[in-house]
Each structure stands twice: as C-alpha cells, then as structure tokens.
Amino acid sequence: MSATVGIPRALLYYYYYPQWKTFFDHLGVKTVVSRETTRAILEKGIKSTVDEACLPIKLAVGHVLDLKDRVDYIFLPRIVSTARREYICPKFLGFPDMVRNNINNLPPLIDNNMDLYRKGSSLYNLFYMVGRYFTHNPASIYKAYKASMESLHVHCRDMEAGRLPFETGGKDNQNYRTRDGGVHDVTIAVIGHPYNIYDRYISMNMIKRLWDYGADVVTADQLTETAFRREAGKLPKQLFWTLNQRMVGAAFYYFERPDVDGLIHVASFGCGPDSMTGELIERYARRSSRKPLLNLTIDEHTGEAGMITRLEAFMDMVRWRRHLDDVAATL
C-alpha cells in the first residue's frame, strides 16, 4: 500500500499545489489536501499557536491539525527563498519548527529546504531530498521532478492567461464556484497574498462578492514575473521579500492600466511586511493615480457586515469616479 502525504491548504499551496501533486503522483504516493478552511480549523490553529504569530500562520497550523491523523507524512517544505537574492517571510522559514514544537503526535514532517537564494541553487535539490523518502531510484525522482516542473509551468501560464489559482488544476484546487458569466462593467485589482485572497473563509468570499457586484477581478498572480519586477523596479530600493515585491509591482502596474477602475489591497493582521507594502501602495496612489484604493486588513474575526459595507461603498465610489471621468471626456 502506498504512503499518504498530507498537504495543508495554506500558505504557498495556491502557487505550488499542482507541482507538488504531480511530483508525488509520479512516485506513486497518494496526496491528501486538508479540508477547506472553516471556523473550527481556524480556532484549532489559534489555540496551538503563539499569540504573536500572524493570521496566515495560525490558519496553516489549523490545516496541519486537520491532516495529522489522516496521513503518513505531512509535507511542509521549509521555504527560505524562491528567487535569487530574495527571501520569503521569516515565519515561513520557521514554520516546520513551530509546528513540531506546538503539536503533539504528529506524523513525520517532510521539511526539506526550498532555497534559491544563491546563484546556482536549484529547485531539484528540494525534490531529490523529498523523493528519497519514497524511493532510492534517482531516475524515478528526476522523471517526477521534470513532470512536476511542467505542471508548474502550465499552472503559471494559466494564471497569466487570466485564470485564478482555484480555477486551474484538479478539483482539490477549486474552492470557488465558476464565474457566472454575467455582465461586469468595472474591473477591480485585488492585491494580496494568495493565502489571504484565495481562501474563501479568510477573505470572506471577497472575490465572489466582487463578481456578484458586477466586477471583473484581476490579481498580482496574473502578471508575468517580468511585468511585476519591472514595475517594482520603480522603487528607489529593491524589496527583498519576493511576495511583497510581486504585490507592489502589480499595484503599480494596475494603477497605470486604463481598463482597471480601482484597487483593493488586502493585508493580514500581524503581518509586518504587509504593513510596509500597504504604505508604499498608498503613497503611490496619492502621488500618481486618481483611481480609488481600498485598504482592507483581515483578522480572526468572522463578522461579515464590515467587509460587505466597505466593499459596497468602494464599488459605489469606483462607478461614481468612472462616471465623472466619462463626463469630463465629453467636455
């Protein structure tokens, strides 16, 4: 009987799940994804995490708890860097240790390093070490790795073609209903970490609400790496957090796009890098753009009234501003 590996539906799951699943499938390893986020999963994570942890980390701990009694291993790569001379948030780096020290009776954690910081480093190093848990045949590991890279490239191409992460891959990666195909008269850019904006519970279904309000939604993940890095290069100093560089670059890009009517920046409570990213985006908006900008901070509370009120007011402002621009263009 093949081993079963659990993959938490949290953190960089929305970027790498198709790749991880393909890799394990080619090695004959069954994968199990944690269930969609619920209040119970979040509360379990909050109880098992230190107060100082940010919301995404608490939620990720909850997803680990959801898996721990159902799988033989839990896949928690220690993500240090995903690009040369850049880092991911330090809490990602320490996440496997946080889990190991706060949760009892865990199955073995597969926590090998993903570190592309230095020149010449390769993603293959991670997959080779992970593959060794299940086979000692280097050729099998390499074939699984090559197939996983192709899966990742397809996933990225799909997003760059306009799809969102939950609209690509298999059914485990689809936690929204499909778009309704109705008439959408405005376009809103939603700028935030994938684990904040694509998690239906944590985001309070923000993307679906925007669709229902008659908006098309675009995100940072639909831009090519070249595009967001070029825009982020407008800053006097390069950000060394990869995810925040993507968010800032995407915001600058969408501010300049005439077909985008407004931006929503989504930050999570307790995230240090997000607070700086939000400030950079807000300063750019005040200085260089007339487009409405809404800053939203999500936290552990589940009351939806505040979110709904702010989204509806924002949509009214977007349409009102566009109407003024249309009138001005006719004068």
Side-chain angles (χ1 to χ4, degrees):
M1 188 171 68
S2 67
T4 303
V5 173
I7 300 176
R9 194 189 298 266
L11 301 180
L12 297 192
Y13 159 88
Y14 297 95
Y15 285 166
Y16 293 112
Y17 173 68
Q19 180 183 28
W20 295 341
K21 178 172 172 48
T22 301
F23 179 75
F24 287 121
D25 283 350
H26 276 71
L27 292 181
V29 176
K30 182 181 178 183
T31 54
V32 174
V33 179
S34 57
R35 286 169 277 233
E36 288 187 32
T37 301
T38 61
R39 183 67 200 173
I41 287 177
L42 177 58
E43 286 186 349
K44 287 180 182 177
I46 292 171
K47 291 176 181 175
S48 301
T49 317
V50 296
D51 291 340
E52 292 77 12
C54 61
L55 176 64
I57 291 294
K58 292 176 179 175
L59 182 61
V61 170
H63 279 280
V64 171
L65 287 165
D66 183 63
L67 288 167
K68 82 178 187 69
D69 297 322
R70 300 193 285 137
V71 297
D72 301 311
Y73 299 88
I74 295 181
F75 185 52
L76 289 184
R78 188 185 304 276
I79 301 176
V80 180
S81 168
T82 61
R84 187 165 178 263
R85 298 184 65 80
E86 294 176 7
Y87 284 110
I88 294 291
C89 172
K91 289 175 183 172
F92 281 61
L93 195 154
F95 184 62
D97 299 320
M98 193 181 302
V99 168
R100 191 176 281 113
N101 286 288
N102 285 285
I103 303 177
N104 296 322
N105 302 317
L106 278 171
L109 299 184
I110 302 175
D111 63 346
N112 302 91
N113 287 2
M114 177 177 177
D115 185 359
L116 303 182
Y117 183 85
R118 298 187 185 284
K119 184 179 180 180
S121 54
S122 168
L123 199 55
Y124 180 65
N125 298 334
L126 165 66
F127 284 95
Y128 177 76
M129 297 305 295
V130 173
R132 294 275 292 178
Y133 280 82
F134 307 103
T135 178
H136 293 288
N137 185 337
S140 296
I141 297 174
Y142 186 71
K143 288 180 181 176
Y145 165 72
K146 294 292 286 184
S148 77
M149 290 301 295
E150 177 58 28
S151 182
L152 176 63
H153 291 151
V154 170
H155 182 57
C156 292
R157 285 200 298 268
D158 283 347
M159 289 192 291
E160 290 168 9
R163 301 177 74 183
L164 298 172
F166 48 78
E167 296 176 309
T168 71
K171 61 182 176 61
D172 288 333
N173 203 29
Q174 297 173 348
N175 63 349
Y176 274 85
R177 68 167 172 77
T178 55
R179 303 179 195 225
D180 57 15
V183 176
H184 296 165
D185 62 335
V186 295
T187 299
I188 303 298
V190 177
I191 307 297
H193 292 300
Y195 40 85
N196 288 334
I197 64 175
Y198 301 131
D199 186 299
R200 183 168 53 181
Y201 183 83
I202 286 298
S203 71
M204 298 184 187
N205 234 350
M206 179 188 303
I207 291 179
K208 178 180 176 299
R209 290 185 193 282
L210 290 170
W211 286 345
D212 291 344
Y213 294 155
D216 273 331
V217 174
V218 294
T219 70
D221 306 310
Q222 294 171 327
L223 297 184
T224 64
E225 181 173 345
T226 301
F228 79 74
R229 289 191 182 282
R230 181 187 64 241
E231 296 299 317
K234 293 176 180 177
L235 292 172
K237 183 178 180 181
Q238 179 186 353
L239 292 175
F240 52 80
W241 299 305
T242 302
L243 297 181
N244 294 82
Q245 187 174 168
R246 177 188 290 270
M247 290 163 55
V248 170
F252 292 178
Y253 176 85
Y254 286 128
F255 273 127
E256 300 299 329
R257 285 284 299 262
D259 56 338
V260 173
D261 302 288
L263 281 84
I264 300 175
H265 173 241
V266 182
S268 56
F269 182 76
C271 177
D274 270 3
S275 61
M276 192 183 75
T277 301
E279 182 66 22
L280 290 171
I281 293 173
E282 192 168 341
R283 290 187 182 190
Y284 185 91
R286 285 199 300 263
R287 187 177 63 245
S288 306
S289 177
R290 294 185 67 251
K291 292 181 180 177
L293 169 68
L294 173 63
N295 275 315
L296 285 177
T297 300
I298 56 177
D299 58 19
E300 299 156 13
H301 299 97
T302 57
E304 295 184 344
M307 166 76 79
I308 293 172
T309 301
R310 297 189 71 185
L311 284 181
E312 289 179 345
F314 177 72
M315 293 300 295
D316 287 344
M317 176 176 286
V318 166
R319 291 192 168 98
W320 175 73
R321 181 67 62 85
R322 203 177 71 169
H323 174 70
L324 289 182
D325 290 343
D326 290 344
V327 170
T330 62
L331 298 177

